[in-house]
Amino acid sequence: MLDLNNRDWAPFKISDLFQPARGTEKNMTSLQVGDVPLISARNCDNGVKAFVSIPNERLHRGHAITLNNDGDGGAGLAYYQPMEFALDTHVTDLRPRDSIGNLSRYAMQFVAASISKQRTLFGHGRSISLKRLNLLRVMLPIDESSNPDWQFMEDYIREREAIQVQRCREFLMKRIASIERERERESK
């Protein structure tokens, strides 16, 4: 099992790794119901507030990290967004810079979790402005060259996902067996 404690870590400026873009959806009540997730500064549900219909030019591409700038207890939380989304003004879209290349969803999920660990620094009275975001650093595991170890991050999240899938599978198998035993008792 991969261990976070047996790694060297270093701080990296988020703005050196990711290009930020603030959300633009201001009047969310005027949006029509649709199938595009609207990401707002929520502290649950991966930030999804509703599903809306918006013009394509206002869509944000998937495979991004969203960072809550303020909100209902969600300030400082970061989420990985796998699909296209709409973004309200209280959230920032973080895209990997060309200099770091194409990151896997697993590496992006690791970074989002690492950013979220710092959420206690922010709240309604202390939101994440562009100036604060440009100064914000995130701790990441590093490779032998002191660069972020993207492969380790990917492997770590893949391993954790496999563990969770196995736990869910075991739970479901026990539940199915329990239901089958109950049906057997009822049929006698």
Side-chain angles (χ1 to χ4, degrees):
M1 223 164 124
L2 295 173
D3 185 3
L4 295 176
N5 296 318
N6 292 336
R7 303 291 307 179
D8 290 328
W9 294 67
F12 294 90
K13 285 177 75 174
I14 293 174
S15 59
D16 287 346
L17 302 174
F18 296 91
Q19 176 66 45
R22 277 307 265 269
T24 56
E25 300 305 321
K26 293 178 184 170
N27 188 0
M28 293 179 283
T29 57
S30 69
L31 297 174
Q32 299 295 316
V33 173
D35 58 0
V36 175
L38 171 63
I39 308 301
S40 68
R42 296 187 52 157
N43 65 359
C44 61
D45 300 329
N46 218 52
V48 177
K49 179 176 186 148
F51 288 88
V52 298
S53 178
I54 64 168
N56 285 342
E57 64 271 8
R58 292 185 1 219
L59 282 177
H60 290 256
R61 285 181 297 118
H63 191 61
I65 294 173
T66 54
L67 175 61
N68 294 352
N69 303 316
D70 51 38
D72 68 349
L77 284 176
Y79 300 109
Y80 173 70
Q81 303 299 338
M83 58 193 292
E84 288 183 325
F85 56 93
L87 195 62
D88 90 11
T89 58
H90 300 278
V91 185
T92 299
D93 178 349
L94 299 174
R95 301 268 158 200
R97 291 196 179 273
D98 291 339
S99 59
I100 63 171
N102 189 24
L103 299 179
S104 71
R105 78 169 171 98
Y106 302 102
M108 298 272 280
Q109 288 171 318
F110 190 102
V111 172
S114 295
I115 292 170
S116 293
K117 290 289 185 186
Q118 300 180 76
R119 70 182 286 214
T120 58
L121 299 173
F122 303 102
H124 276 297
R126 184 169 160 79
S127 64
I128 301 175
S129 63
L130 186 57
K131 181 179 177 181
R132 286 185 179 133
L133 179 59
N134 285 329
L135 297 173
L136 189 60
R137 295 175 185 269
V138 60
M139 293 295 291
L140 297 174
I142 56 173
D143 61 19
E144 310 78 40
S145 302
S146 297
N147 294 315
D149 192 340
W150 303 116
Q151 188 61 54
F152 173 81
M153 291 181 238
E154 178 175 341
D155 294 344
Y156 183 83
I157 296 298
R158 278 183 185 270
E159 183 179 84
R160 292 306 172 277
E161 185 178 88
I163 290 168
Q164 286 302 107
V165 167
Q166 182 60 30
R167 285 180 182 157
C168 289
R169 184 180 182 284
E170 289 169 3
F171 171 80
L172 289 173
M173 296 308 288
K174 287 178 184 175
R175 183 71 180 123
I176 289 169
S178 173
I179 290 170
E180 288 173 354
R181 284 191 304 274
E182 185 64 31
R183 283 185 183 157
E184 251 180 53
R185 279 189 286 246
E186 288 175 359
S187 67
K188 289 181 181 179

